[in-house]
Amino acid sequence: MTDTLVLCGTHSSPYSRKMRAVLRYRRIAHEWVIRGSRWDDLPDPPVRLVPILAWRDADGAYSDVMVDSSPEISVLEEAFSGRSVVPVDPATAFLDFLLEDFGDEWVSKMMYHWRWANDVDAQKSGRILPLDRDLQLPDELAAKAHEMFVGRQVSRRGMIGSSDNNAPVIEASYERVLDLLQDHLAQRTFFFGDRPGRSDFAVFGQLLPMLWWDPTPTAVALDRAPRALMWVEWMDDLSWWRIEDEAVGWDTADVIADTTRALLAEAGRTYVPFMIANAEALANGAEQVVCEIDGVTFRQGAFGYQGKCVQWIRDAYAALAAVDRDRVDAVLAGTGCEVLVRTKAI
């Protein structure tokens, strides 16, 4: 490609950091642009979200402007060879895709919850976020933006699932994920072998602010999973990680680590019942998702995008060869994730 690849996002966006880490690991030359800064000359994408992936030609014109980190990873896999983040084994690749969605759609709830549920965390974010795009922002404007950010984001907690009722579910899941990471990282650096996959970058993106930005979850992580605190630093820039043979380094689905399977079980315990209930709410035209997670009636607004995620996972499962579906089934049996791959249309 002769065009310049541009990634436009923000430092505070977990999905932006996920994609920047992917590009760094894959050693794909790119220009990082802070969204909303004086350097941002990108056109608005169809959906006003970050990160934005785009190509810019020699005349400065942009093409193929897109959002959504998961499709962006797929586009990069097609456009660039080497240092892939998709496992060679199709069954492992599917499991990695499933855990990527767990990171993007469930661990994200933990991130939003911890950032805005407690005043100490909300106040810190409110002071820092306005400076993301402009370090020279005048103090009086920063103070106004502080109040605006805190008020707006706290008011949206219920939309994401961060309510006082749901808090025990989200916080307990965060602690279990930390405990699993502490155990896993004592033996392995990545979830599916000796090289990172999509799921590693997804979980990293959501954990990064919780482990290095927000005071309350950082304190919890320091107590429970100090290895995870350093893991997110490693994940941020893996350009140095050696890949000597593109065909090796991944686990086959038959021999994935017990701790990775335990992470799938955590997904089956929390993420799966929510995602299925959300898909059913959308199919029924309901505005609210209601499901049971760990004995708590979990409630939040229905999200159309997460309904698409369920269908994409089921489509990916259906596209596997029969022998690979059987191998996936063997891994997922008893985790709670097996119900997600049923082929019932949404």
Side-chain angles (χ1 to χ4, degrees):
M1 285 195 175
T2 58
D3 293 351
T4 299
L5 181 65
V6 178
L7 180 69
C8 184
T10 64
H11 297 100
S12 56
S13 159
Y15 301 99
S16 298
R17 301 297 292 270
K18 169 189 175 182
M19 286 308 302
R20 192 173 73 171
V22 168
L23 288 168
R24 286 173 168 178
Y25 164 69
R26 298 201 60 203
R27 298 176 182 171
I28 296 173
H30 64 282
E31 181 180 341
W32 165 252
V33 176
I34 303 170
R35 188 60 166 163
S37 70
R38 58 191 173 94
W39 300 277
D40 179 7
D41 61 351
L42 277 81
D44 286 334
V47 182
R48 295 176 62 87
L49 296 173
V50 291
I52 302 168
L53 192 68
W55 278 263
R56 185 178 60 218
D57 63 26
D59 295 326
Y62 285 97
S63 62
D64 299 321
V65 177
M66 64 180 301
V67 295
D68 194 339
S69 62
S70 294
E72 286 173 351
I73 287 176
S74 297
V75 166
L76 293 174
E77 288 289 328
E78 295 176 1
F80 299 94
S81 61
R83 300 178 69 86
S84 172
V85 296
V86 177
V88 174
D89 175 13
T92 302
F94 174 80
L95 296 170
D96 181 48
F97 181 50
L98 176 59
L99 275 185
E100 179 195 14
D101 202 61
F102 166 71
D104 285 346
E105 307 304 331
W106 181 260
V107 183
S108 59
K109 293 186 185 301
M110 305 174 194
M111 185 282 301
Y112 198 96
H113 172 76
W114 283 119
R115 178 168 288 182
W116 303 109
N118 301 311
D119 189 60
V120 62
D121 303 283
Q123 292 300 322
K124 179 179 180 181
S125 290
R127 294 191 66 183
I128 295 175
L129 283 172
L131 304 176
D132 200 336
R133 64 185 65 181
D134 185 3
L135 285 173
Q136 284 74 50
L137 186 69
D139 290 345
E140 61 274 17
L141 294 181
K144 291 180 180 178
H146 172 194
E147 296 304 317
M148 182 274 293
F149 268 113
V150 173
R152 183 185 67 185
Q153 298 302 96
V154 170
S155 70
R156 291 178 175 178
R157 283 180 53 205
M159 295 172 56
I160 311 300
S162 171
S163 64
D164 292 343
N165 176 76
N166 296 344
V169 173
I170 295 172
E171 293 175 11
S173 184
Y174 174 64
E175 292 177 354
R176 289 192 299 270
V177 167
L178 290 176
D179 292 345
L180 288 170
L181 278 171
Q182 181 68 4
D183 290 344
H184 183 83
L185 294 172
Q187 307 170 57
R188 310 287 293 277
T189 305
F190 308 114
F191 295 143
F192 291 100
D194 197 37
R195 52 195 295 181
R198 303 168 67 120
S199 58
D200 295 281
F201 290 106
V203 173
F204 148 76
Q206 302 299 330
L207 284 180
L208 179 62
M210 290 188 281
L211 272 57
W212 283 100
W213 180 315
D214 303 309
T216 304
T218 297
V220 174
L222 179 61
D223 180 56
R224 304 183 79 102
R227 298 180 196 277
L229 267 78
M230 190 48 62
W231 181 72
V232 296
E233 285 293 292
W234 281 43
M235 288 295 302
D236 189 49
D237 188 351
L238 284 169
S239 58
W240 57 274
W241 190 265
R242 294 182 180 178
I243 303 296
E244 297 179 356
D245 186 339
E246 291 292 337
V248 300
W250 303 109
D251 293 336
T252 62
D254 318 90
V255 296
I256 64 171
D258 290 342
T259 42
T260 300
R261 191 175 186 280
L263 192 60
L264 286 164
E266 176 61 27
R269 179 176 180 171
T270 53
Y271 152 86
V272 168
F274 166 74
M275 294 294 280
I276 290 176
N278 181 73
E280 292 174 348
L282 292 170
N284 295 328
E287 295 183 357
Q288 191 173 55
V289 179
V290 182
C291 60
E292 291 294 316
I293 302 177
D294 279 351
V296 174
T297 301
F298 191 97
R299 300 174 184 272
Q300 75 158 79
F303 264 57
Y305 177 81
Q306 290 168 338
K308 294 179 181 179
C309 291
V310 172
Q311 194 58 60
W312 291 336
I313 289 169
R314 290 175 173 169
D315 289 345
Y317 175 79
L320 291 170
V323 64
D324 292 321
R325 284 199 299 273
D326 290 344
R327 295 168 62 226
V328 166
D329 291 345
V331 174
L332 296 184
T335 65
C337 290
E338 58 269 35
V339 298
L340 189 64
V341 298
R342 293 175 183 163
T343 56
K344 178 182 176 182
I346 297 173

